[in-house]
Every structure is written in structure tokens, then in C-alpha cells.
Amino acid sequence: MSAVASDSAASAQIREVAVVGLGIMGAGIAEVLARSGRAVVVIEANHDFLARGLARLHSSLDKAVARGRLTHAEKALIVARVRAADSIAAGAAGADLVIEAVPERLDLKRAIFAEVDQACRADAILASNTSSLSVTALAACTRRPDRVAGLHFFNPAPVMKLVEVISTVLTAPGAVQTLSALVRDLGKTPVGAGDRAGFVVNPLLLPYLNHAAGLLETGHASREDIDKAATGGFGLPMGPLALLDLIGLDTSLSILEALRAELGGSRYQPTPLLRRLVEAGLTGRKAGRGFHEYGTAGAAAAPAGDMSHNAAPGPPPATVALIENGDTALADLGNALAAAGLNVVPHPAPEAGLVVVAAGPGRRVLDAALASGRPADVVGLHLAGRPGAKPELAELIVTHLTAPGAVAAAGALTAELGLDAVTSRDRPGFLAAAMIYPQLNDAVRMVEDGYATPADIDTAMVLGCGYPRGPLQMLDDIGPATVRDVLSAMHACTGDPAFAPAPLLAEHAASGTPFRS
Ligand code: CAA
């Protein structure tokens, strides 16, 4: 049999699917399955949750109709395939596959797996959409551990193209093959992973999100700038704080705790601000407020820890001193400033209204500021963006000696250059690299551990999180040596071993070998 024929035979075995739990993920998964033509039973004991989940499903389909992606008749057919049940006994008996999508609590999931195992046919496959808990522990609650696996969708499930298929040491290859074929039939891409906390994506994504929350909490940059640095500096579809709000702060906290319990290390230690927001019930979009506010009238109150460096914009200075400090784009910067009509001088002359240090993310701006003799007038400027491409983002770096007027003047100057700007403290990596390079290092560690290949990691982050390029490809594009040097500076500055370049990264940097071909 050809691969395509065997795939369609395997996915055809799954005609009816029961989805247990109708939160954001359960509703999205039910929609994807019903759209594929399968009968779907949504099992939710709580009537409010059921009503909310079904409303979410309807509104997602309505959006597709409004955008011309579905007709009213197609929507009606999809809705007709979905049936609700208020108990596992009532809903799971006829299912070929059951997907559990309840909150991330092992005790709750274990109880559900034991109950589903009793209610289902012996040949049914049981899957969990868990983000980070042990699938093996769930399999152990059943009499069919060979037919238990993880099926991890990404939020929003109707949109994101990745599904991680997790096999335990007990999962039969046939069950994995059936689930992978089903994922392909849903128009998505399966990436296989072993049963390790968080699988491929979450151990890379969550520490990065947590670090971003920590940068906000410690006043390194404002929440808007943190999000802008990720989208403008690296082309990511959302900033980390907006993504935490989408995933849910409570879910993110649970995942971090599971990662920390299994993998250890400071990268998984939830930042106190994340915990406090969860305790306050500010769990993100679903609550109307997390790091940002959603759909509420009136001005948004800045959350605790939002200490913006951004000052009110002032006029651009007529004369600017431009001093080199490790940024190779100095000549381009000088030309751009001159083209904007500014008089550029190469030393901190008295007539210069602002002293700009063309800064590299591995070097402290303060040293150049002190050497200039006018530290209050010094702002570091780093142009971030894809190597070789036109920079899209200006990073303004403020030392503890920089005067607010200099920050405002630098903001006016970047506006004159037509660049979006973010402001951060004078710490290695500045803002964009400080957030993203540690994630690249984590990806290298995952390769080093033999858990996933560079190609699988890149596929997972592109399809699961909408990255324009995967982390290993990004690393190759930036250059392993550049990333190593910035990480070494971050490590030296913070003393945090999590920032130490992974040995495999150091090797690639030394030999100049890329991770992708
Ligand atoms: N449900 C259904 N469809 C949705 C949707 C939702 N909640 N949100 C957006 N869409 C659809 C839109 O209808 C639109 O569809 P069409 O192209 O058919 O018209 C499409 O997605 C694009 O939407 P928008 O134009 O409104 O918005 P956008 O271009 O800004 O994209 C996004 C929105 C897809 C969410 C994008 O910002 C993105 O990819 N963000 C990254 C999301 C991410 O990283 N997800 C993974 C989180 S980690 C996780 O889930 C795992 C875990 O265990 C925590």
C-alpha cells in the first residue's frame, strides 16, 4: 500500500471523536474535527462551560462565514455533526478516539482517563491534549496503555498547523500511525515527540514568555516595547506578553511548574508577576485582562511592574554625535541620519544635542557613555532586524546616567528615520536579543539532549507558533558566534547558568558550522 493510501486507511478508522472538556482548546479541537467531516461528541458536565464552549465554536464558524471561507450551508453541516453530552458514560461509548482537553491538573486528568477507559470500546484510542503533564501517568490509569498517546494542539486550534503526537514507552506504533494520519487528514502537520514535559514547543516557548514577563517586572522595558521587540525585531506574529494572554496566564503558570518539576533550572521558575496576575484572576484574554486589557471600556491601567523608560517625544536635535561601540551598521546609521537632514559629527562636540552610541548587543553602552565625558546626553542605538535585510526596529539603550531629555531626543530621531523604536536598560542583549537568544540556546540544548532534530524543532515553532523561521534557522542566519557572544555577556552579567552558551552552540560557533544545512 502507498503511504498516502495507508494514511487514508488509518485516518478513516477515526469516524467519531469524543472531546472531553469544552474550554478554548476543546472547542477549537471539536471545530477542527467537525470540519473534517467526523462526528464529534463534546462532553462537558458544567452547563455554563458547555454553553460558553458551543458559543465559541459557533462564533469561530460565523467568523469563517463572514470572511467568505465557509458558506452558511457548510456551517450548518459542521454544526450538525457536533452533539453534546453531559457525562463520559453518555458520550464516549461510540467513539473511535477520545481527546481529553480539561485543565492541566494531573489528578483530574487521571480520573477522566480511568472513567473514559471504562466507558469506551476496547479498540478506541485515548489521547490527551496536555501541554506538559506525563502522558505515561495517564496511560497507567487505563487497561489499554498501548492505545494511549498525547495529541497536543496549539491555540488557536483551528488556525495553527502543528499537532505534537506524543508516544510513551508503552504506546503501540500502530496507534501513533493512526493519530499522525488523522492529523494530516485534518490539514495539519504531526511532529512526533517522546513523553518529556512540554514536548518540543513548550520547553522552548514558555521560558521565553516567562523571561519576557520578568523583564517587565524588573522594569527593563515597558510592556508595549517588550511585545514590539519580538514582532519588530524578529518578525514573530505576536509579542510574548500578548501571547501569554492568548494562552492564558493560569495555563502558562501550570506549564512552567510542570517544566520546572521535571527539567529544573531558573528558566522555568515562574516570575512572581505571572503568579500575582493569576492570583488576581487576571488570566489573560479569557478574563478580559492579563498583561493587556481586552474589550473593556475606559483606559487600561498599567499592570504592576510596567515601568516604561519612554519619555514624551521632543524635537530631533540639529547636530548628533555618533560614536562607534560594536555595531557594524555605524556607516549606514551615519548615512541615514545625514539623509534625514541632521548634522552628524564623529565625536561628542559641544554643539551636538545628543550623543548616539552605535551599540552592539554584547557590549555595555555605559563604557562609551563615560568615555564621551557627557554621559547624561548618551543614548545607545541598535538596529535590530533580519540579518542582511533593512532594519525594522531601533533599540534605544538608556544607561542609569542618561537624562530623560536625551531619551526623548533619541525617540524623535528614530521617528525621523522612520523606524519603530523600543527602549530598554543597558544590559547585554538589550531587549530583542535578550529575549530571543536564550530561546535559541534552549533549542540547541534540546538538540544536544537528542530529544528533537533541528528540522523538527524548526517545523514545530513555525507551525505551532507562527514563527517566520525556526530557532535553529534564526541562529544560523544571525551566526552562532554572535549568539554565543551575547549569551556569554548575559551570563557574565547575571551569573545565571541558564544563559551560558550550550556546549553544542559553542562548538558550532568555534567551527562556523550551521545547524541547518
Ligand atoms: N479561532 C479561529 N480562527 C481564528 C482565531 C480563533 N481564535 N484567531 C484567528 N483566527 C483566524 C482568522 O479568522 C483568520 O482566518 P482567515 O485567514 O481564514 O480569514 C486567521 O486566523 C488570521 O487571523 P487574523 O487576521 O485575525 O489575525 P492575525 O493574522 O493577527 O493572526 C494568530 C492571529 C493566528 C493568532 C497569529 O497572531 C499567530 O499565529 N500567533 C501566534 C499564536 C501561537 O503562538 N500559538 C501557540 C501558543 S502555544 C500553545 O497553544 C500550546 C500550549 O500548550 C500553551
Side-chain angles (χ1 to χ4, degrees):
M1 214 187 323
S2 74
V4 173
S6 84
D7 235 29
S8 73
S11 67
Q13 293 170 24
I14 309 293
R15 288 175 300 272
E16 180 171 316
V17 185
V19 178
V20 185
L22 210 58
I24 294 173
M25 291 310 292
I29 294 167
E31 177 186 336
V32 172
L33 291 162
R35 276 175 176 247
S36 76
R38 292 176 169 82
V40 181
V41 188
V42 293
I43 302 175
E44 176 58 75
N46 180 312
H47 287 290
D48 287 347
F49 289 179
L50 179 66
R52 230 178 295 155
L54 288 175
R56 205 171 269 138
L57 194 154
H58 279 264
S59 118
S60 177
L61 292 173
D62 286 340
K63 233 191 276 170
V65 171
R67 294 190 185 216
R69 312 266 175 186
L70 271 185
T71 64
H72 286 285
E74 284 165 338
K75 181 198 158 184
L77 279 176
I78 293 168
V79 169
R81 290 188 198 114
V82 180
R83 158 171 89 80
D86 61 5
S87 72
I88 288 170
D96 304 302
L97 166 68
V98 179
I99 303 176
E100 165 277 309
V102 302
E104 289 291 279
R105 279 181 29 219
L106 190 58
D107 55 340
L108 178 64
K109 287 183 190 274
R110 286 169 71 110
I112 285 171
F113 265 73
E115 197 179 338
V116 168
D117 185 44
Q118 296 291 335
C120 271
R121 291 197 321 266
D123 63 339
I125 298 178
L126 312 188
S128 174
N129 181 55
T130 181
S131 307
S132 54
L133 299 176
S134 163
V135 179
T136 312
L138 301 178
C141 301
T142 73
R143 298 160 304 175
R144 66 182 92 200
D146 57 324
R147 299 182 72 71
V148 174
L151 207 50
H152 184 216
F153 289 77
F154 288 79
N155 188 1
V159 183
M160 308 316 285
K161 294 291 179 206
L162 177 74
V163 181
E164 290 174 319
V165 179
I166 295 98
S167 41
T168 75
V169 286
L170 303 168
T171 314
V176 175
Q177 194 200 344
T178 301
L179 291 175
S180 302
L182 169 72
V183 169
R184 281 187 283 269
D185 192 56
L186 298 176
K188 298 188 185 288
T189 300
V191 165
D195 189 17
R196 194 173 92 156
F199 322 122
V200 177
V201 170
N202 280 339
L204 303 180
L205 185 67
L206 266 295
Y208 146 68
L209 302 180
N210 186 43
H211 183 210
L215 292 175
L216 174 68
E217 182 166 28
T218 54
H220 185 73
S222 71
R223 88 189 144 164
E224 286 72 22
D225 283 2
I226 286 171
D227 278 351
K228 211 194 288 177
T231 54
F234 285 90
L236 305 190
M238 298 176 97
L241 303 177
L243 185 50
L244 278 164
D245 283 351
L246 176 75
I247 294 169
L249 272 52
D250 47 348
T251 304
S252 301
L253 183 60
S254 315
I255 298 172
L256 280 166
E257 280 170 343
L259 289 169
R260 185 169 54 125
E262 185 152 315
L263 304 172
S266 62
R267 292 280 284 159
Y268 310 113
Q269 171 73 44
T271 192
L273 176 60
L274 182 64
R275 220 182 263 289
R276 295 293 98 78
L277 289 171
V278 172
E279 284 166 359
L282 304 179
T283 52
R285 278 195 196 194
K286 61 190 170 190
R289 182 171 164 192
F291 287 98
H292 299 272
E293 294 213 12
Y294 300 89
T296 48
D306 190 6
M307 294 161 60
S308 173
H309 297 285
N310 295 348
T319 299
V320 173
L322 184 58
I323 300 174
E324 193 272 336
N325 191 37
D327 191 331
T328 49
L330 181 76
D332 292 349
L333 196 53
N335 292 338
L337 293 173
L342 301 169
N343 182 33
V344 181
V345 293
H347 48 82
E351 72 271 23
L354 175 70
V355 181
V356 170
V357 169
R363 295 240 192 121
R364 207 161 62 168
V365 172
L366 180 66
D367 302 313
L370 292 173
S372 77
R374 293 177 53 189
D377 299 325
V378 169
V379 174
L381 175 58
H382 176 249
L383 301 180
R386 191 174 174 158
K390 189 174 166 297
E392 287 166 25
L393 186 79
E395 293 186 287
L396 299 177
I397 299 97
V398 175
T399 78
H400 68 287
L401 299 176
T402 306
V407 186
L413 183 136
T414 50
E416 196 77 19
L417 294 176
L419 288 168
D420 226 355
V422 296
T423 308
S424 75
R425 276 185 183 156
D426 184 21
R427 293 286 182 275
F430 306 144
L431 185 51
M435 285 197 295
I436 300 295
Y437 287 11
Q439 187 184 45
L440 309 187
N441 200 33
D442 292 342
V444 174
R445 283 212 186 89
M446 193 177 266
V447 174
E448 194 165 57
D449 289 352
Y451 182 68
T453 65
D456 274 355
I457 290 172
D458 279 0
T459 301
M461 296 307 287
V462 167
L463 299 180
C465 302
Y467 278 32
R469 295 164 293 145
L472 280 315
Q473 187 62 60
M474 277 193 219
L475 212 165
D476 285 347
D477 292 348
I478 299 162
T482 303
V483 175
R484 174 205 55 195
D485 291 348
V486 172
L487 286 166
S488 296
M490 290 176 72
H491 179 214
C493 177
T494 61
D496 187 341
F499 297 133
L504 186 64
L505 172 59
E507 284 162 20
H508 279 249
S511 62
T513 322
F515 284 88
R516 305 296 305 269
S517 63

